[in-house]
Each structure stands twice: as C-alpha cells, then as structure tokens.
Amino acid sequence: MSVSLIQKYNVPGPRYTSYPTVPYWEENLFSLENWKKTLQNSFDESNTIEGISLYIHLPFCESLCTFCGCNKRITKRHDVEHPYIEAVLKEWNLYCDLLSEQPNIKEIHLGGGTPTFFSPENLTTLINGIFKRAKKATNHEFSFEGHPNNTTRKHLQTLYDLGFRRVSFGVQDYSSKVQQAIHRVQPFHNVAKVTFWAKEIGYTSIGHDLIFGLPFQTLEDVMDTIDKTNSLQPDRLAFYSYAHVPWIKGNGQRGFNDEDLPRDDEKRRLYEEGKKLLSQNGYHEIGMDHFALASDSMYQSFLDEKLHRNFMGYTSSKTQVMIGLGVSSISDSWYSFAQNVKTLEEYYAKLEQNELPVYRGHLLTNEDLIIRKHILNLMCQFTTSLEDKELFFNELPEIIHQLDEMEHDGLVEISSTNITVTEKGKPFVRNLCMAFDLRLKRKAPQTQLFSMTV
C-alpha cells in the first residue's frame, strides 16, 4: 500500500457502529418518554417478523488490560456478581412491562468487561431470568466473549446448554513483550485449551480477536500470532487496528509510551501482511477488520447481503430492535438510540427508583436514517445504491462530487447506479463513510474524539 495514501487518509474518524455517532447525538431533543415511544413502535413493527437482540454488558474484570477502551470495573471480589445480575434482570423486567407482547429474542450477546468473570451458576441465573418473560426466536444466535485465562469448561458447557453456539476469545497478540506492555499475559496454551473445549462441546462458531498496531509489536509478532491462530482454525477472526485513545477515562497506559507504537506505513504493513496470510489460510474478508472461513454463518450472511452492524459490531442478521442491558449499554430502536448511565452506583440508584437507567440518547431524523443506511451498506457490503430513490437526500450529489479524489486514488468506483469500494479502498472504508457523515462535516470536532482510521 502506498505510504502517501496512508499519510493522506490516516485521520481521526469513527468506526461507525452507529450513525449518528455518539458525540453527535442531539441530547437536548431526547427524552426518556420519546425513547419508550420509539421502542414500543419499533417493537410492534418487528418483534413477530424478525425478533429482537439483547446486548448485556458485564463490566467486571480482575485486572486492567491497557489496550481496552470499554467500560469496566476492576475488582477481584466476586460477591459483586449476584447484585449486578439482580439489577440487570430488574432492568429487563422494566422493559418487558413496556412491551405489548412477549419478546421474541433472536440474538443475545454477553460483552464486557469479562463475561466469564461471572460464575456458570450466576450466568445460568441471568439467562434463565431473561427467558421467564421471553421466548427464543427460530434460528437464534447467542454469543459471548470469553477470556482465555478464566473461561472454564464448565462456563462453555453451561452456556452451550443455555443455547449459546458462538464464542469469541480475546487473543490480541502472542508476543510476551507485547502482552506485558498491554497487561494481558495469556500463553498460547490457554487459548488452545478453551478453543478445543469449545469445539468438543459443539460450538458452531468460534472466533479469535487479534489486534495490530500494539506497543512493541513487530511484523514477526503478527505473522507468528496468525500462524498460531491458524493452527487452531477458529471459524472467524476480528483483526482490529489498535485504537489509541488515551484520553478516555480509565484507559490508562502501563508499560509503554506513545513512541513505542508502530505508526502509519509501519502499522499498515502489519495489517496488509497479516491479511495476506489470513487469505492464504482460507479466511475471507467480510466487512471492516473481519474475516471468516467459508463454512461460517457470517461469511454466508455477507454473500447473502444480510450482514448487519450495530453497537455489538458485525452480526449475521439484522433486528430492528436491540435492547442494551447493564451499565453503559446502548440500545437501538432503529429510530432512536439510548445509553445507560456509566457508573454502577448511578445504575443501581436508578433501578431502585424503578426507572430505566437511561441518561442520554438521540432521535434520528429522516436524513439520519437515510445516511445510516448508506453507511451500513458500505460497512457491510462495500457498496451502496445511487438509484434507489429511498436512499436519496439533498446533499448526495455534492458527496458524490467530493468523492472524486478517492476515485482518482483508486479507492472507490462510482457509476450512475452505485458507489463501490475497491479492493485497494477497503482499508479506507471509514474515510468513505466520513464523506457521508453530514453531522461530522457540519460541526468538526475541536479536540480529537476518534481513533485514527488507518
């Protein structure tokens, strides 16, 4: 890849798990009552047809991984588990009280934090509690994030018995120097053990999360990590760019400084060579930073143009409603977003008052909804339509004109019917989406809000 292209396009930009992105929500126009209304309407439109998704945030970790920008609470005390699960189930019951019929759950994702911080018994209480007032949709897909160091065979068997068939393990990198720097020490043996357990139990989609651009990481480290990963044959892979966001509270750096990070062309080479090796090993690129074997459901969804992207990342199918439970979780009714309070203390206090713990959100305008569809198309299928009248908005001709330079650089192809990302342009898909982001254009940030795009 051209160094000049990296230098040209490597700018701060969103990852577009939503549009509008969180910093551009119009919180002053949002209210809890408006959120409830859009949720009820969207639920009535979609529950019977496609079901809903649940994202459950489990925030506790026993130690701090310094590459992580997620909301977490560091503790070794496991007596925090039961009160938290009781609170999440109370929140769920408040939502069920609002809805017109029994929720039909298509997707559940347990994220964190470290979901496997919780005991198998407490996770059973959580999932059984959810289904006291809900039913499983046909072809449901339940998934969770497992830490290789503390995921036991009992965790895997328990969640399998509860209907989970997909698990992702955070690997990041196998270099001991890199692991020490990011405070995430886990030997290959631990990852191999939990991967083989999951295969033996019957999980149909096992994922590994890898990161490039970490402190002290070399090309040899990345190639070694991918070679080791290939020996375990996970069904799908996330190969993320390290998002260096030291300004986020709680995302402290230990064991490295800014100058220890690979930069620009050096960092991009880690991805390009890694991607090449993944392709040689039978992994197909789907969406941004994601790869899957041909046998995995996500690859089939990509081929069938059913791949979706939301606050959980990429998913194999779309649901119009996604309810986020737990501290800091974000919910999506398609027509609006709502985020929960960010501290445990606030979360518990709201629920003690029998209130949904929502503290901010955004009601999508008609323009937002159209742009959201374009960005989803580009993120999930690398193409979007210019002939679909429902996708037209006033600034679209101007945006197409502004893409001339990206077309000249060979990153996109623009015809009378489509905008399509080229193979050369896939690493710059975030930049292409930024061209559609009218809220970002109308109010450029005065300080850095987002990680670098390349």
mmCIF file of all heavy atoms in Angstrom, residues 39 71 83 88 164 172 206 295 342 421 424 429:
data_model
loop_
_atom_site.group_PDB
_atom_site.id
_atom_site.type_symbol
_atom_site.label_atom_id
_atom_site.label_comp_id
_atom_site.label_asym_id
_atom_site.label_seq_id
_atom_site.Cartn_x
_atom_site.Cartn_y
_atom_site.Cartn_z
ATOM 1 N N LEU A 39 -39.294 2.883 20.957
ATOM 2 C CA LEU A 39 -39.044 1.471 21.209
ATOM 3 C C LEU A 39 -40.332 0.659 21.064
ATOM 4 O O LEU A 39 -40.351 -0.395 20.407
ATOM 5 C CB LEU A 39 -38.463 1.276 22.613
ATOM 6 C CG LEU A 39 -38.301 -0.180 23.069
ATOM 7 C CD1 LEU A 39 -37.274 -0.902 22.202
ATOM 8 C CD2 LEU A 39 -37.911 -0.259 24.539
ATOM 9 N N ASN A 71 -16.071 0.151 28.932
ATOM 10 C CA ASN A 71 -16.465 0.461 30.303
ATOM 11 C C ASN A 71 -16.249 -0.781 31.163
ATOM 12 O O ASN A 71 -16.782 -1.848 30.874
ATOM 13 C CB ASN A 71 -17.948 0.872 30.320
ATOM 14 C CG ASN A 71 -18.434 1.221 31.715
ATOM 15 O OD1 ASN A 71 -18.577 0.360 32.574
ATOM 16 N ND2 ASN A 71 -18.702 2.490 31.938
ATOM 17 N N PRO A 83 -25.580 -9.187 43.009
ATOM 18 C CA PRO A 83 -26.332 -7.930 42.961
ATOM 19 C C PRO A 83 -26.440 -7.359 41.548
ATOM 20 O O PRO A 83 -27.472 -6.780 41.182
ATOM 21 C CB PRO A 83 -25.531 -6.990 43.877
ATOM 22 C CG PRO A 83 -24.734 -7.881 44.750
ATOM 23 C CD PRO A 83 -24.446 -9.105 43.947
ATOM 24 N N VAL A 88 -29.656 -6.250 36.510
ATOM 25 C CA VAL A 88 -29.890 -6.419 35.070
ATOM 26 C C VAL A 88 -31.275 -7.026 34.825
ATOM 27 O O VAL A 88 -32.010 -6.597 33.920
ATOM 28 C CB VAL A 88 -28.780 -7.293 34.442
ATOM 29 C CG1 VAL A 88 -29.161 -7.727 33.029
ATOM 30 C CG2 VAL A 88 -27.460 -6.531 34.409
ATOM 31 N N PHE A 164 -26.238 -21.093 23.696
ATOM 32 C CA PHE A 164 -25.148 -20.353 23.061
ATOM 33 C C PHE A 164 -24.371 -21.272 22.122
ATOM 34 O O PHE A 164 -24.040 -22.406 22.479
ATOM 35 C CB PHE A 164 -24.209 -19.775 24.128
ATOM 36 C CG PHE A 164 -24.784 -18.598 24.862
ATOM 37 C CD1 PHE A 164 -25.811 -18.766 25.790
ATOM 38 C CD2 PHE A 164 -24.326 -17.317 24.614
ATOM 39 C CE1 PHE A 164 -26.366 -17.689 26.464
ATOM 40 C CE2 PHE A 164 -24.869 -16.222 25.289
ATOM 41 C CZ PHE A 164 -25.892 -16.402 26.213
ATOM 42 N N GLN A 172 -5.445 -10.953 20.962
ATOM 43 C CA GLN A 172 -4.644 -9.745 20.734
ATOM 44 C C GLN A 172 -3.311 -10.092 20.044
ATOM 45 O O GLN A 172 -3.135 -9.850 18.868
ATOM 46 C CB GLN A 172 -4.374 -8.933 22.005
ATOM 47 C CG GLN A 172 -5.427 -8.771 23.075
ATOM 48 C CD GLN A 172 -6.869 -8.949 22.729
ATOM 49 O OE1 GLN A 172 -7.319 -8.616 21.639
ATOM 50 N NE2 GLN A 172 -7.634 -9.504 23.673
ATOM 51 N N ILE A 206 -16.522 -20.296 16.470
ATOM 52 C CA ILE A 206 -15.526 -19.891 17.459
ATOM 53 C C ILE A 206 -14.686 -18.782 16.837
ATOM 54 O O ILE A 206 -14.145 -18.946 15.730
ATOM 55 C CB ILE A 206 -14.629 -21.084 17.862
ATOM 56 C CG1 ILE A 206 -15.492 -22.197 18.464
ATOM 57 C CG2 ILE A 206 -13.548 -20.636 18.845
ATOM 58 C CD1 ILE A 206 -14.787 -23.531 18.571
ATOM 59 N N SER A 295 -17.223 -21.733 5.743
ATOM 60 C CA SER A 295 -18.246 -22.506 6.451
ATOM 61 C C SER A 295 -18.960 -21.718 7.543
ATOM 62 O O SER A 295 -19.961 -22.188 8.094
ATOM 63 C CB SER A 295 -17.596 -23.750 7.081
ATOM 64 O OG SER A 295 -16.518 -23.363 7.932
ATOM 65 N N LYS A 342 -23.247 5.466 33.279
ATOM 66 C CA LYS A 342 -21.940 4.823 33.118
ATOM 67 C C LYS A 342 -21.326 4.273 34.391
ATOM 68 O O LYS A 342 -20.319 3.562 34.329
ATOM 69 C CB LYS A 342 -20.965 5.812 32.457
ATOM 70 C CG LYS A 342 -21.318 6.111 31.007
ATOM 71 C CD LYS A 342 -20.220 6.914 30.348
ATOM 72 C CE LYS A 342 -20.481 7.089 28.867
ATOM 73 N NZ LYS A 342 -19.377 7.796 28.180
ATOM 74 N N VAL A 421 -16.649 0.179 -3.040
ATOM 75 C CA VAL A 421 -15.281 0.221 -2.507
ATOM 76 C C VAL A 421 -14.441 -0.796 -3.283
ATOM 77 O O VAL A 421 -14.837 -1.957 -3.446
ATOM 78 C CB VAL A 421 -15.272 -0.133 -1.009
ATOM 79 C CG1 VAL A 421 -13.873 0.021 -0.430
ATOM 80 C CG2 VAL A 421 -16.265 0.735 -0.241
ATOM 81 N N LYS A 424 -8.436 -2.099 -3.175
ATOM 82 C CA LYS A 424 -7.440 -1.138 -2.679
ATOM 83 C C LYS A 424 -8.055 -0.196 -1.644
ATOM 84 O O LYS A 424 -7.376 0.278 -0.725
ATOM 85 C CB LYS A 424 -6.909 -0.327 -3.870
ATOM 86 C CG LYS A 424 -5.816 0.680 -3.544
ATOM 87 C CD LYS A 424 -5.396 1.393 -4.831
ATOM 88 C CE LYS A 424 -4.334 2.449 -4.571
ATOM 89 N NZ LYS A 424 -3.978 3.171 -5.836
ATOM 90 N N VAL A 429 -12.361 2.319 4.262
ATOM 91 C CA VAL A 429 -13.825 2.392 4.240
ATOM 92 C C VAL A 429 -14.347 3.381 5.281
ATOM 93 O O VAL A 429 -15.371 4.044 5.075
ATOM 94 C CB VAL A 429 -14.441 0.980 4.414
ATOM 95 C CG1 VAL A 429 -14.195 0.426 5.812
ATOM 96 C CG2 VAL A 429 -15.942 1.007 4.120
#
